[in-house]
Amino acid sequence: MSDVDTLYARWLSGEISPEEEKALKESGEWAELEAIIQALDGMTLPAYNVPEAYTKLKLQQNVGGLARSSQSFLWMGAVAAAACIALLLYFTWNGANQITEFSADLTENTQGALPDGSRFILNDGSSLQFKEGNWEEQRTLNLQGEAFFRVKTGKTFQVHTTRGSVEVVGTEFNVRIRKNVLAVECYEGKVSVSNGKENALIELGESLKIENGQMGIIASIDHRKPYWTQGNSDYKEEVLNEVFEEMARQYSIQVIKPDLMRRFSGSFTHSNISLALDQVCKPMGLTYSFSEDKQIVTILDE
């Protein structure tokens, strides 16, 4: 049992000291106890006629002391029942609100399964969080970075990001959130995309961007899986600043460059940094150089 659980038990038994109560309040754990207290306030124990029970007991057994003990026992039983209810409420509430997180380290992808069997692949440096305790009732998660999902058919499946949300029932889709851009690609079924004000529906073979909070137009895609799951990053009219930031993330390097607001359409590989730089720099009229340890790349705009 943890120290916090021990304090909960001492609180329920009325043995908690003022110092321990102060420590709970300062740690923030007291808020959970208050939630339990509020829940118990709405509960009542079954009515029990103590005098009547006492009379019956006295008729059956002529032991006065035992009758007094029975009253004490009844009171202790009521307290024990309340304590059990409080503990059950706490662990149920705590379990339902437990946050589960998956993340992918830089230069690595991570794949896994959600409680309903839906699958995901996280791009490098990305993470997702969800409440596992109530997943069957509410399939909702928060995403930072980029992920590909293969969702089991069932209740609505929602992906929330800082730039918008995506909602499906059962499908395959990719979500990428980088700074001010949310990009969604649909590989099966239909996907609803929202920026909080507008909603758009995309289908198999379509993509949509939300940039600076503005809903873009629906575009076509000709690939069956996200390029990044196959070792490439692909862009259509993407600001160069974002492209080089993604390259720095994929290769775990530092990129020094001017402010490049021009837009790039193309791709770069994740397997060879020199080739990746050529794929982006040459068509955009840029040059580059490496530091001696190959950890810093300097981009020059000719």
Side-chain angles (χ1 to χ4, degrees):
M1 180 179 291
S2 68
D3 292 340
V4 173
D5 293 336
T6 300
L7 288 178
Y8 287 161
R10 289 173 58 79
W11 168 74
L12 289 170
S13 64
E15 298 177 356
I16 191 170
S17 68
E19 292 76 15
E20 290 171 326
E21 180 178 324
K22 181 181 178 182
L24 273 176
K25 290 182 177 180
E26 291 178 349
S27 68
E29 302 291 346
W30 190 257
E32 296 181 357
L33 292 179
E34 288 181 333
I36 294 173
I37 294 169
Q38 291 173 3
L40 287 174
D41 284 342
M43 297 183 179
T44 58
L45 291 171
Y48 192 81
N49 192 324
V50 175
E52 182 180 340
Y54 173 73
T55 300
K56 290 181 179 179
L57 183 62
K58 191 172 183 180
L59 289 173
Q60 293 173 2
Q61 300 181 17
N62 189 21
V63 184
L66 180 60
R68 287 191 297 273
S69 298
S70 68
Q71 292 182 45
S72 177
F73 175 77
L74 289 171
W75 180 85
M76 291 174 63
V79 173
C84 289
I85 293 171
L87 284 174
L88 178 61
L89 283 171
Y90 165 70
F91 287 113
T92 299
W93 177 82
N94 195 51
N97 287 275
Q98 183 67 38
I99 302 295
T100 300
E101 179 173 353
F102 290 92
S103 60
D105 294 334
L106 291 175
T107 73
E108 294 182 2
N109 297 337
T110 295
Q111 56 182 307
L114 297 168
D116 64 340
S118 297
R119 305 287 303 181
F120 65 85
I121 306 176
L122 282 172
N123 200 353
D124 79 310
S126 303
S127 64
L128 60 82
Q129 305 86 27
F130 62 92
K131 293 181 180 180
E132 189 167 359
N134 63 349
W135 180 258
E136 295 298 332
E137 291 73 34
Q138 189 174 1
R139 300 196 299 175
T140 300
L141 59 83
N142 295 318
L143 173 68
Q144 297 178 9
E146 184 169 16
F148 170 71
F149 296 94
R150 183 178 290 112
V151 178
K152 291 278 189 179
T153 301
K155 293 185 178 180
T156 299
F157 184 100
Q158 296 178 320
V159 178
H160 295 295
T161 76
T162 56
R163 295 298 176 182
S165 60
V166 180
E167 182 174 303
V168 301
V169 174
T171 186
E172 295 184 10
F173 63 101
N174 189 76
V175 181
R176 174 167 59 91
I177 173 70
R178 302 292 192 203
K179 288 192 174 181
N180 63 339
V181 177
L182 169 65
V184 183
E185 296 179 341
C186 179
Y187 298 98
E188 181 184 282
K190 299 178 181 180
V191 178
S192 176
V193 184
S194 172
N195 62 359
K197 299 178 181 179
E198 305 172 83
N199 293 295
L201 189 68
I202 61 174
E203 302 183 0
L204 167 67
E206 294 180 337
S207 66
L208 179 66
K209 283 184 183 179
I210 297 176
E211 188 168 359
N212 294 317
Q214 300 298 312
M215 191 78 74
I217 61 173
I218 297 175
S220 297
I221 54 176
D222 56 6
H223 46 282
R224 295 186 177 182
K225 289 184 178 180
Y227 281 111
W228 64 267
T229 64
Q230 304 172 65
N232 294 281
S233 288
D234 184 71
Y235 300 94
K236 289 184 179 178
E237 292 298 309
E238 196 85 22
V239 175
L240 273 171
N241 287 330
E242 303 294 329
V243 176
F244 282 116
E245 286 190 17
E246 181 66 20
M247 187 180 294
R249 194 164 27 244
Q250 290 291 342
Y251 286 96
S252 191
I253 59 173
Q254 180 182 355
V255 177
I256 299 174
K257 59 175 181 56
D259 188 24
L260 298 170
M261 296 302 296
R262 303 201 302 276
R263 294 184 178 267
F264 170 78
S265 294
S267 62
F268 68 79
T269 180
H270 297 172
S271 60
N272 186 308
I273 181 59
S274 295
L275 178 58
L277 286 164
D278 285 341
Q279 291 172 320
V280 176
C281 291
K282 286 185 177 180
M284 300 304 296
L286 304 172
T287 59
Y288 64 88
S289 62
F290 287 101
S291 62
E292 290 187 5
D293 60 3
K294 300 287 186 179
Q295 295 302 301
I296 301 176
V297 174
T298 301
I299 307 295
L300 298 176
D301 192 359
E302 294 181 345

